[in-house]
């Protein structure tokens, strides 16, 4: 509870309201500092939420219904838009031993034909390229999350050998969650060039829901 946290950290929590966005509120310590016993502090890197205030997220929508979004539209989050945003420019991968992977769970699959259609519209130079596959994939039943993950990593991380790393099953004792340990064990026992150097994981669970 908040009361227990206040006693542990030696501070008082308040509800803060953004002056320009009154619907945006967060709970943070009032004096923006906290303390804990030295024997505990040496084992702790940080405690949150405590003093850090998140940035306010805003969205912009297209003003013309049916308008084709392009890179100049804030709402058009295309691969080209992301390349400009992160100053990637026209850079593509060239290293012979480079690779990247996308992790997929809970029956999320991708469609190779959808991937090629995406390339044709947003990343023409990647047209014809396909990822390697580790684990199950059912192209006839693609999922939104898996499709987005593989489409964007291959478009932004262009010309980098990519693996769609799919892990079947659910987490033991908590079937609604992803089998992260099964995935990490498989990655840890993979050696050589097959071992992923970059892994994109768009899944997450609250810590109390993760059973090791």
């Amino acid at each position: 509870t908040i009361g227990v946290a206040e006693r542990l950290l030696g501070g008082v929590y308040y509800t803060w309201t953004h002056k320009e966005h009154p619907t945006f509120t967060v709970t943070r310590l009032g004096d923006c500092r906290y303390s804990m016993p030295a024997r505990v502090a040496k084992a702790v890197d940080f405690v949150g939420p405590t003093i850090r205030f998140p940035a306010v997220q805003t969205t912009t929508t297209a003003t013309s219904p049916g308008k084709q979004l392009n890179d100049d539209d804030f709402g058009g989050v295309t691969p080209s838009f992301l390349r400009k945003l992160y100053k990637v420019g026209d850079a593509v991968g060239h290293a012979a031993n480079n690779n990247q992977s996308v992790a997929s769970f809970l029956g999320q699959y991708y469609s190779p034909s959808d991937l090629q259609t995406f390339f044709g519209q947003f990343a023409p130079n990647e047209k014809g390229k396909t990822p390697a596959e580790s684990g199950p994939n059912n192209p006839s039943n693609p999922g939104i999350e898996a499709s987005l993950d593989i489409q964007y990593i291959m478009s932004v991380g262009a010309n980098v050998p990519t693996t769609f790393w799919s892990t079947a099953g659910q987490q033991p004792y908590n079937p609604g969650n992803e089998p992260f340990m099964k995935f990490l064990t498989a990655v840890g026992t993979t050696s050589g060039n097959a071992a992923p150097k970059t892994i994109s994981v768009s899944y997450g669970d609250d810590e109390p829901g993760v059973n090791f």
Side-chain angles (χ1 to χ4, degrees), residues 179-191:
F180 288 124
M181 289 304 296
K182 182 178 178 181
F183 164 68
L184 293 173
T185 299
V187 170
T189 55
T190 302
S191 59

Side-chain angles (χ1 to χ4, degrees), residues 185-209:
T185 299
V187 170
T189 55
T190 302
S191 59
N193 289 336
K197 295 179 173 61
T198 299
I199 306 173
S200 173
V201 184
S202 61
Y203 298 78
D205 292 317
D206 292 330
E207 187 173 353

Side-chain angles (χ1 to χ4, degrees), residues 71 74 76-89 118 148 151-153 155-157:
D71 298 336
F74 182 80
V77 186
T78 64
S80 295
F81 176 88
L82 293 176
R83 280 176 163 269
K84 292 178 181 178
L85 180 65
Y86 293 106
K87 296 180 173 57
V88 176
F118 184 88
L148 183 149
Q151 290 166 0
Y152 273 78
I153 195 172
S155 298
V156 178

Side-chain angles (χ1 to χ4, degrees), residues 62-76:
T63 56
S64 302
K67 176 185 177 183
Q68 180 68 39
L69 294 175
N70 56 53
D71 298 336
D72 295 325
D73 292 309
F74 182 80

Side-chain angles (χ1 to χ4, degrees), residues 149-164:
D149 288 346
I150 195 67
Q151 290 166 0
Y152 273 78
I153 195 172
M154 292 188 70
S155 298
V156 178
N159 203 43
V160 176
T162 305
T163 299
F164 180 78

